[in-house]
Amino acid sequence: MRKALVSILFIVNICVSAEVFAIPHSRLAQVKQQIIEYHQSGAYEYDLEKLVEQANAYLSKRIAENNSSKHHKKLAVVFDVDDTALSNYQYFKTSDFSDNSNVWNKVLNNADSPPLIPIKNIYQYAVGHGVKIFFITGRREAYRKQTEINLLSAGYTVYEGLYLQSNNYNNLSAAPFKTKARMNITKKGYEIIANFGDHYSDLRGGYAERIYKLPNYIY
Ligand SMILES: [Mg+2]
């Protein structure tokens, strides 16, 4: 069932993002309904919680090791922002899952997306145990203020750094930017023990002991 859903979601991604409407509208409506069901049935949150459970076990092991070591390291965790730290699901649902600039403008300018609760839980666990937090996002620098406002309103009140892409970044993939940001964090003396994101481009490129790929209801 899960595999089938992933395949369906992949088709939706092609249809919505690339605007290739190769499947009938009736089928597209059905697929959108399945996305909604995946979300509303609790399956999405269940998948998230399973992932966070694994991550939590690793974090607690690394924190304990670090605490018992004579040479304490500066441990850090990295989070992507959209559909990782924050949930934009309602915006996409309201716009019938069209991944267009109007939806993104609303997400960015309204700055009121709620947190993804399982991710916020692991954030709180990390903060509570002295692990430093960094956010690395494909959002542009022009949206730094709005991003800070949204992170704060979602309860992400403590972090060491927020990395955004420069306004003229023109690589189609966020991966080089995100890898470089993690490299910079590492050069500052932090050990990134976990990196969370909903896209593989959030996670490729190293500079993290563990990577955690979140399920994404569209991609
Ligand atoms: Mg994301």
Side-chain angles (χ1 to χ4, degrees), residues 122-150:
I122 202 152
Y123 158 88
Q124 286 173 326
Y125 178 82
V127 169
H129 288 82
V131 176
K132 303 303 179 192
I133 307 296
F134 292 88
F135 292 102
I136 304 178
T137 174
R139 293 181 178 199
R140 302 298 167 122
E141 273 292 347
Y143 291 98
R144 176 174 286 275
K145 194 73 210 162
Q146 291 92 328
T147 304
E148 287 171 348
I149 289 168
N150 201 158

Side-chain angles (χ1 to χ4, degrees), residues 80-84 178 197-199 202 216:
D80 167 48
V81 171
D82 291 293
D83 289 305
T84 299
K178 293 198 166 198
D198 65 315
H199 283 103
D202 299 327
N216 183 303

